[in-house]
Amino acid sequence: RTRSATSSRNMAMVLSLVCAILVTAYAALPVIMDTLHADHVAGTGQTKRVTLEDGSVVTLGARSSISVDISTRTRSVELLRGVAFFSVRHDPKRPFLARFEGVEARVVGTSFELRRMTDAAIVGVSEGTVEVTSSRAGVQPTRGQGSLTQLNAGESISIDPTAENASVVRRESTNGCEGNSQSKTGSLKM
Protein backbone atom coordinates (compact mmCIF):
# COMPACT_ATOMS: atom_id res chain seq x y z
CA ARG A 1 0.00 0.00 0.00
CA THR A 2 2.77 2.49 0.82
CA ARG A 3 4.64 1.42 -2.24
CA SER A 4 1.55 2.03 -4.39
CA ALA A 5 1.06 5.55 -2.97
CA THR A 6 4.74 6.41 -3.59
CA SER A 7 4.51 5.04 -7.13
CA SER A 8 1.39 7.13 -7.81
CA ARG A 9 3.11 10.30 -6.53
CA ASN A 10 6.16 9.60 -8.69
CA MET A 11 3.94 9.10 -11.72
CA ALA A 12 2.12 12.38 -11.00
CA MET A 13 5.46 14.23 -10.73
CA VAL A 14 6.66 12.74 -14.03
CA LEU A 15 3.40 13.69 -15.76
CA SER A 16 3.61 17.23 -14.35
CA LEU A 17 7.17 17.56 -15.63
CA VAL A 18 6.18 16.28 -19.09
CA CYS A 19 3.26 18.75 -19.20
CA ALA A 20 5.54 21.63 -18.22
CA ILE A 21 8.01 20.69 -20.97
CA LEU A 22 5.22 20.46 -23.56
CA VAL A 23 3.75 23.86 -22.57
CA THR A 24 7.19 25.48 -22.76
CA ALA A 25 7.89 23.90 -26.16
CA TYR A 26 4.49 25.05 -27.47
CA ALA A 27 5.11 28.61 -26.28
CA ALA A 28 8.58 28.66 -27.89
CA LEU A 29 7.44 27.13 -31.21
CA PRO A 30 6.76 30.44 -33.05
CA VAL A 31 10.18 31.79 -32.10
CA ILE A 32 11.85 28.54 -33.16
CA MET A 33 9.99 28.51 -36.52
CA ASP A 34 10.91 32.17 -37.23
CA THR A 35 14.55 31.45 -36.41
CA LEU A 36 14.62 28.43 -38.74
CA HIS A 37 13.25 30.53 -41.65
CA ALA A 38 15.41 33.57 -40.89
CA ASP A 39 18.54 34.63 -42.73
CA HIS A 40 19.51 37.04 -39.92
CA VAL A 41 18.58 36.95 -36.22
CA ALA A 42 19.27 39.26 -33.27
CA GLY A 43 18.93 37.54 -29.91
CA THR A 44 17.59 38.79 -26.61
CA GLY A 45 19.32 41.99 -25.55
CA GLN A 46 21.17 42.28 -28.87
CA THR A 47 21.02 44.51 -31.91
CA LYS A 48 22.50 43.38 -35.19
CA ARG A 49 23.62 45.46 -38.17
CA VAL A 50 23.40 43.60 -41.49
CA THR A 51 24.73 44.90 -44.83
CA LEU A 52 22.74 43.30 -47.66
CA GLU A 53 24.41 42.36 -50.94
CA ASP A 54 22.88 45.43 -52.66
CA GLY A 55 24.54 47.76 -50.12
CA SER A 56 21.39 48.46 -48.10
CA VAL A 57 21.79 48.23 -44.32
CA VAL A 58 19.32 46.66 -41.90
CA THR A 59 19.60 47.12 -38.14
CA LEU A 60 17.68 44.49 -36.21
CA GLY A 61 16.36 45.24 -32.73
CA ALA A 62 16.44 42.72 -29.89
CA ARG A 63 14.64 39.42 -30.54
CA SER A 64 14.14 40.25 -34.23
CA SER A 65 14.59 38.23 -37.39
CA ILE A 66 14.39 38.74 -41.16
CA SER A 67 14.39 36.67 -44.32
CA VAL A 68 16.13 38.23 -47.35
CA ASP A 69 15.65 37.67 -51.10
CA ILE A 70 17.77 39.85 -53.42
CA SER A 71 17.51 39.22 -57.18
CA THR A 72 18.30 41.09 -60.38
CA ARG A 73 14.72 42.47 -60.52
CA THR A 74 13.69 43.10 -56.90
CA ARG A 75 14.97 43.33 -53.36
CA SER A 76 12.73 41.80 -50.73
CA VAL A 77 12.95 41.45 -46.95
CA GLU A 78 10.37 39.83 -44.70
CA LEU A 79 10.29 40.84 -41.04
CA LEU A 80 9.57 37.60 -39.24
CA ARG A 81 9.69 38.97 -35.70
CA GLY A 82 10.52 42.18 -33.84
CA VAL A 83 11.73 45.47 -35.29
CA ALA A 84 14.09 46.45 -38.12
CA PHE A 85 15.41 49.82 -39.30
CA PHE A 86 16.30 50.02 -43.01
CA SER A 87 18.70 52.33 -44.83
CA VAL A 88 17.94 51.40 -48.42
CA ARG A 89 20.47 52.03 -51.18
CA HIS A 90 18.91 53.93 -54.07
CA ASP A 91 18.23 51.68 -57.07
CA PRO A 92 15.26 52.75 -59.25
CA LYS A 93 15.50 49.58 -61.38
CA ARG A 94 15.03 47.30 -58.35
CA PRO A 95 12.40 48.39 -55.83
CA PHE A 96 12.94 47.39 -52.21
CA LEU A 97 9.98 45.57 -50.64
CA ALA A 98 9.72 45.02 -46.91
CA ARG A 99 6.85 42.74 -45.84
CA PHE A 100 5.23 41.56 -42.64
CA GLU A 101 1.73 40.49 -41.53
CA GLY A 102 0.11 41.35 -44.87
CA VAL A 103 1.70 44.82 -44.87
CA GLU A 104 4.14 45.83 -47.60
CA ALA A 105 6.41 48.86 -47.69
CA ARG A 106 7.80 49.69 -51.15
CA VAL A 107 10.74 52.05 -51.54
CA VAL A 108 13.51 52.93 -53.97
CA GLY A 109 15.93 54.55 -51.55
CA THR A 110 15.12 55.82 -48.05
CA SER A 111 15.38 55.16 -44.31
CA PHE A 112 12.44 53.65 -42.44
CA GLU A 113 11.47 51.33 -39.62
CA LEU A 114 9.19 48.29 -39.47
CA ARG A 115 7.87 47.18 -36.11
CA ARG A 116 5.90 43.97 -35.71
CA MET A 117 3.71 44.07 -32.61
CA THR A 118 1.24 41.45 -31.40
CA ASP A 119 -1.76 43.58 -32.41
CA ALA A 120 -0.35 45.95 -35.04
CA ALA A 121 2.19 46.49 -37.77
CA ILE A 122 3.95 49.88 -37.69
CA VAL A 123 5.88 51.61 -40.48
CA GLY A 124 7.74 54.83 -39.63
CA VAL A 125 9.69 56.92 -42.14
CA SER A 126 12.73 58.97 -41.12
CA GLU A 127 13.95 59.93 -44.61
CA GLY A 128 12.45 59.78 -48.10
CA THR A 129 9.07 58.31 -49.09
CA VAL A 130 7.54 54.86 -48.53
CA GLU A 131 4.39 53.41 -50.13
CA VAL A 132 2.50 51.16 -47.73
CA THR A 133 -0.18 48.63 -48.70
CA SER A 134 -2.05 46.07 -46.66
CA SER A 135 -3.71 42.91 -47.88
CA ARG A 136 -6.32 41.14 -45.85
CA ALA A 137 -7.27 37.49 -46.22
CA GLY A 138 -4.77 37.09 -49.05
CA VAL A 139 -6.45 39.67 -51.29
CA GLN A 140 -4.04 42.17 -52.81
CA PRO A 141 -5.61 45.61 -52.53
CA THR A 142 -5.58 48.19 -55.30
CA ARG A 143 -5.08 51.96 -55.18
CA GLY A 144 -8.74 52.51 -56.01
CA GLN A 145 -9.82 50.72 -52.85
CA GLY A 146 -7.94 53.24 -50.72
CA SER A 147 -5.54 50.61 -49.46
CA LEU A 148 -2.34 52.41 -50.45
CA THR A 149 -0.87 55.30 -48.56
CA GLN A 150 2.30 57.22 -49.15
CA LEU A 151 4.34 58.21 -46.10
CA ASN A 152 6.94 60.95 -46.10
CA ALA A 153 9.74 61.68 -43.65
CA GLY A 154 8.35 62.19 -40.17
CA GLU A 155 5.21 60.10 -40.76
CA SER A 156 4.24 56.65 -39.57
CA ILE A 157 1.29 54.29 -39.90
CA SER A 158 -0.05 51.70 -37.48
CA ILE A 159 -2.09 48.90 -39.06
CA ASP A 160 -4.17 46.32 -37.22
CA PRO A 161 -4.20 43.42 -39.71
CA THR A 162 -7.60 42.27 -38.42
CA ALA A 163 -9.35 45.65 -38.58
CA GLU A 164 -10.76 47.59 -41.51
CA ASN A 165 -9.02 50.84 -40.61
CA ALA A 166 -5.44 51.86 -40.00
CA SER A 167 -4.28 54.79 -37.97
CA VAL A 168 -2.07 57.22 -39.93
CA VAL A 169 0.12 59.36 -37.70
CA ARG A 170 1.78 62.49 -39.02
CA ARG A 171 4.37 63.48 -36.47
CA GLU A 172 5.38 67.08 -35.99
CA SER A 173 8.99 66.10 -35.37
CA THR A 174 11.34 65.34 -38.27
CA ASN A 175 12.10 61.84 -36.98
CA GLY A 176 9.31 59.41 -37.89
CA CYS A 177 10.75 56.49 -35.96
CA GLU A 178 11.66 57.82 -32.54
CA GLY A 179 10.48 60.18 -29.86
CA ASN A 180 7.13 61.04 -28.36
CA SER A 181 6.16 64.10 -30.34
CA GLN A 182 2.63 65.39 -30.67
CA SER A 183 0.85 63.99 -33.66
CA LYS A 184 -2.21 64.34 -35.85
CA THR A 185 -4.11 61.11 -36.47
CA GLY A 186 -6.22 60.17 -39.45
CA SER A 187 -7.69 56.93 -40.74
CA LEU A 188 -6.96 54.74 -43.73
CA LYS A 189 -9.64 52.34 -44.97
CA MET A 190 -8.10 48.91 -45.61
Side-chain angles (χ1 to χ4, degrees), residues 65-83:
S65 58
I66 58 171
S67 176
V68 179
D69 182 22
I70 306 264
S71 71
T72 56
R73 293 186 348 196
T74 62
R75 304 171 289 168
S76 178
V77 174
E78 182 177 358
L79 180 64
L80 301 172
R81 183 170 35 103
V83 60

Side-chain angles (χ1 to χ4, degrees), residues 12 19 22 26 35 41 49 52 75 80 84 93-94 112 146 154 160 166 168 177:
C19 286
L22 289 174
Y26 179 76
T35 302
V41 177
R49 185 179 163 101
L52 303 178
R75 304 171 289 168
L80 301 172
K93 293 181 182 176
R94 292 190 304 167
F112 67 102
D160 177 348
V168 179
C177 302

Side-chain angles (χ1 to χ4, degrees), residues 122-133:
I122 300 170
V123 180
V125 181
S126 62
E127 183 179 309
T129 302
V130 175
E131 288 182 346
V132 180
T133 60

Side-chain angles (χ1 to χ4, degrees), residues 18 23 37 39 50 54 59 64 95 125 135 146 157 166 187 189:
V18 168
V23 167
H37 294 325
D39 293 313
V50 178
D54 71 334
T59 303
S64 298
V125 181
S135 61
I157 186 169
S187 181
K189 188 88 170 156

Side-chain angles (χ1 to χ4, degrees), residues 9-175:
R9 274 183 258 161
N10 287 343
M11 181 61 82
M13 285 181 18
V14 167
L15 287 174
S16 295
L17 181 61
V18 168
C19 286
I21 290 171
L22 289 174
V23 167
T24 302
Y26 179 76
L29 189 60
V31 173
I32 292 168
M33 294 305 292
D34 286 346
T35 302
L36 290 175
H37 294 325
D39 293 313
H40 302 282
V41 177
T44 302
Q46 298 178 333
T47 58
K48 184 175 184 179
R49 185 179 163 101
V50 178
T51 301
L52 303 178
E53 64 184 70
D54 71 334
S56 298
V57 177
V58 182
T59 303
L60 296 174
R63 297 186 326 192
S64 298
S65 58
I66 58 171
S67 176
V68 179
D69 182 22
I70 306 264
S71 71
T72 56
R73 293 186 348 196
T74 62
R75 304 171 289 168
S76 178
V77 174
E78 182 177 358
L79 180 64
L80 301 172
R81 183 170 35 103
V83 60
F85 183 82
F86 298 83
S87 291
V88 179
R89 194 183 115 251
H90 184 74
D91 186 348
K93 293 181 182 176
R94 292 190 304 167
F96 190 96
L97 305 172
R99 297 182 175 106
F100 60 113
E101 290 293 321
V103 175
E104 180 178 280
R106 183 182 187 280
V107 300
V108 176
T110 191
S111 297
F112 67 102
E113 177 183 77
L114 297 180
R115 185 174 298 268
R116 186 172 176 170
M117 311 291 281
T118 54
D119 59 348
I122 300 170
V123 180
V125 181
S126 62
E127 183 179 309
T129 302
V130 175
E131 288 182 346
V132 180
T133 60
S134 177
S135 61
R136 296 188 41 200
V139 177
Q140 185 62 34
T142 65
R143 287 177 190 256
Q145 295 172 319
S147 57
L148 175 93
T149 191
Q150 191 170 64
L151 300 176
N152 297 309
E155 297 180 329
S156 65
I157 186 169
S158 175
I159 300 170
D160 177 348
T162 63
E164 290 188 22
N165 294 309
S167 172
V168 179
V169 179
R170 286 174 171 72
R171 300 186 188 275
E172 292 178 9
S173 71
T174 57
N175 189 340

